[in-house]
């Protein structure tokens, strides 16, 4: 366990006071992870659904239910966790940062690179910590793969294949309205794939991007009128690597989900993939020729690690972390996938 992971258990480090803006399934899950790690004190909750209010208060009965973001910020929390519809993320993040409050936001931080840039500028201007729930970085498998890539274990990496197919698709109407969501499966699922590609390789520049988007089996020519439910993209990086990305909602996958990230090198390959269609269980392997070495296996309770990591960093310092600039690089690639070039 790293020093940062241990901070929540140290009596000499003050636990940050955190407000929660939205405690639906994902917001409640992140709250539980942060409370379980003794990383925070939950001071306030904004949630319109009475049942979700009750569920949250069972976990943290001392928290106050308040009616708006403004009332939450009036309580002067150290930070807030935002788990609301995507259209609200940038505006709510900026409001909190302008109030001097650190932010941990669900992905996507913004519906496009312009919104992400505006949030980053607010974080930098007000010198406040900003984090986004790019949770797959914190799986044991991807952490090992990134380390091995940096150690040059598989030689020169020349290709990558990244897949995220969700056989169900979202169950809330706003996901299917491009004005509210910013897009379909690319901004919902592809954001994780683009982030893992760039993060693993230390954020090289994307030189060329070609993509095709589909909606209900038809090529999507106007992303402003409808969201895509299937997308494929080829991303060429400045280091010469070629990446192929595919993501979808409601694909006939034969299982709940197909999730994988594979890096091909001159001396081997590294593969991260879900087990038996699971959204939560993953293995990682090092492959050479016809042989493979298992690096990680389930169980791995990775879901809330990004939130706990942010809370532990906040306990040390609430100041802006320049690594947040990586968020804009991911958003810019997503914009280019939507543009098709």
């Amino acid at each position: 366990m790293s020093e940062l992971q241990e901070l929540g258990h140290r009596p000499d480090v003050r636990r940050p006071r955190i407000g929660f803006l939205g405690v639906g399934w994902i917001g409640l899950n992140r709250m539980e992870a942060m409370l379980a790690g003794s990383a925070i004190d939950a001071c306030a909750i904004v949630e319109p659904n009475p049942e979700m209010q009750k569920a949250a208060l069972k976990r943290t009965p001392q928290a106050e239910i308040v009616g708006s973001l403004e009332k939450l910020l009036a309580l002067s929390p150290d930070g807030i966790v935002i788990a609301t519809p995507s259209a609200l993320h940038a505006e709510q993040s900026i409001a909190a940062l302008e109030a001097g409050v650190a932010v941990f936001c669900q992905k996507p931080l913004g519906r496009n690179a312009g919104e992400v840039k505006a949030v980053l500028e607010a974080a930098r201007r007000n010198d406040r910590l900003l984090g986004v729930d790019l949770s797959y970085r914190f799986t044991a498998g991807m952490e090992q793969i990134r380390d091995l890539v940096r150690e040059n274990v598989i030689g020169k990496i020349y290709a990558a294949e990244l897949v995220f197919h969700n056989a169900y698709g979202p169950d809330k109407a706003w996901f299917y309205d491009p004005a509210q969501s910013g897009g379909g499966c690319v901004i919902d699922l592809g954001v994780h794939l683009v982030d893992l590609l760039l993060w693993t390789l230390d954020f090289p520049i994307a030189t060329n991007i070609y993509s095709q988007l589909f909606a209900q089996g038809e090529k999507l020519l106007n992303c402003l009128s409808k969201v895509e439910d299937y997308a494929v993209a080829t991303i060429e990086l400045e280091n010469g690597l070629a990446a192929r990305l595919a993501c979808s909602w409601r694909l006939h996958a034969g299982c709940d989900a197909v999730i994988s990230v594979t890096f091909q090198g001159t001396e081997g390959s590294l593969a991260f993939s879900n087990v038996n269609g699971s959204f939560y269980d993953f293995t990682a392997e090092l492959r050479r020729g016809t042989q493979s070495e298992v690096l990680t296996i389930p169980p791995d309770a990775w879901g809330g690690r990004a939130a706990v990591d942010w809370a532990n960093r906040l306990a040390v310092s609430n100041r802006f972390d320049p690594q947040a600039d990586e968020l804009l690089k991911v958003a810019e690639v997503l914009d280019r996938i939507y543009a098709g070039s």
Side-chain angles (χ1 to χ4, degrees), residues 111 175 177-178 180-188 223 227-228 249 338:
R111 292 168 290 181
F175 276 95
D177 177 358
Q180 296 187 66
S181 62
C185 60
V186 170
I187 201 164
D188 180 39
C223 294
V227 300
E228 77 287 353
W249 292 336
Y338 278 113

Side-chain angles (χ1 to χ4, degrees), residues 203-224:
F203 287 86
I205 295 171
T207 52
N208 295 296
I209 296 176
Y210 173 74
S211 63
Q212 290 182 292
L213 309 181
F214 295 82
Q216 298 175 321
E218 300 292 335
K219 273 195 177 182
L220 183 59
L221 302 177
N222 182 2
C223 294
L224 298 178

Side-chain angles (χ1 to χ4, degrees), residues 2-341:
S2 70
E3 180 182 359
L4 282 176
Q5 289 173 313
E6 292 175 346
L7 284 171
H9 301 280
R10 280 174 42 185
D12 58 317
V13 175
R14 184 182 71 86
R15 292 196 298 268
R17 295 174 59 253
I18 304 299
F20 289 84
L21 185 59
V23 286
W25 180 85
I26 193 73
L28 187 62
N29 178 277
R30 299 317 185 238
M31 172 190 281
E32 289 174 335
M34 297 165 85
L35 291 170
S38 300
I40 64 156
D41 288 325
C43 65
I45 297 165
V46 180
E47 172 55 57
N49 185 311
E51 292 304 313
M52 298 313 300
Q53 287 181 12
K54 291 178 183 178
L57 287 175
K58 284 183 180 179
R59 277 75 169 179
T60 178
Q62 79 281 3
E64 180 179 353
I65 299 293
V66 295
S68 67
L69 172 60
E70 291 73 21
K71 291 180 179 179
L72 190 160
L73 295 176
L75 297 174
S76 300
D78 297 301
I80 67 167
V81 174
I82 298 174
T84 57
S86 297
L88 304 175
H89 288 180
E91 178 183 354
Q92 292 171 338
S93 295
I94 291 170
L97 293 163
E98 295 288 4
V101 175
V103 168
F104 181 78
C105 187
Q106 274 306 303
K107 56 80 187 169
L109 181 59
R111 292 168 290 181
N112 52 56
E115 288 191 347
V116 172
K117 183 178 181 181
V119 178
L120 283 166
E121 289 174 346
R124 191 178 293 105
R125 182 170 59 249
N126 293 282
D127 196 20
R128 286 297 175 264
L129 185 67
L130 172 65
V132 173
D133 197 2
L134 294 166
S135 51
Y136 290 88
R137 291 186 184 187
F138 290 84
T139 57
M142 282 309 306
E143 287 184 330
Q144 279 215 38
I145 285 173
R146 189 190 195 209
D147 289 344
L148 293 175
V149 165
R150 293 188 166 200
E151 293 166 11
N152 202 36
V153 167
I154 60 170
K156 178 184 177 182
I157 299 174
Y158 58 88
E161 298 174 357
L162 307 104
V163 173
F164 199 146
H165 297 307
N166 180 339
Y168 299 103
D171 60 0
K172 294 182 174 62
W174 64 263
F175 276 95
Y176 301 92
D177 177 358
Q180 296 187 66
S181 62
C185 60
V186 170
I187 201 164
D188 180 39
L189 307 177
V191 60
H192 288 300
L193 302 180
V194 171
D195 178 67
L196 290 176
L197 172 68
L198 300 182
W199 173 76
T200 301
L201 301 174
D202 203 20
F203 287 86
I205 295 171
T207 52
N208 295 296
I209 296 176
Y210 173 74
S211 63
Q212 290 182 292
L213 309 181
F214 295 82
Q216 298 175 321
E218 300 292 335
K219 273 195 177 182
L220 183 59
L221 302 177
N222 182 2
C223 294
L224 298 178
S225 62
K226 190 182 292 187
V227 300
E228 77 287 353
D229 56 25
Y230 186 91
V232 291
T234 299
I235 303 171
E236 297 177 9
L237 302 178
E238 62 181 340
N239 55 11
L241 182 145
R244 294 189 300 172
L245 178 153
C247 59
S248 70
W249 292 336
R250 299 186 306 278
L251 188 74
H252 300 288
C255 58
D256 290 348
V258 179
I259 307 169
S260 65
V261 175
T262 304
F263 291 95
Q264 299 290 349
T266 54
E267 304 298 327
S269 68
L270 290 161
F272 172 81
S273 58
N274 65 324
V275 178
N276 297 327
S278 174
F279 284 101
Y280 310 106
D281 294 335
F282 295 90
T283 61
E285 295 182 349
L286 168 61
R287 299 168 178 169
R288 299 188 193 277
T290 60
Q291 304 300 311
S292 65
E293 175 189 348
V294 176
L295 303 174
T296 63
I297 59 172
D300 176 26
W302 55 272
R305 285 181 187 151
V308 174
D309 174 76
W310 171 82
N312 285 333
R313 286 189 289 136
L314 182 58
V316 176
S317 172
N318 65 359
R319 302 191 66 181
F320 179 73
D321 182 347
Q323 285 190 348
D325 289 332
E326 298 169 355
L327 300 168
L328 181 57
K329 297 177 182 179
V330 173
E332 289 172 341
V333 170
L334 294 176
D335 277 6
R336 291 173 66 186
I337 290 174
Y338 278 113
S341 61

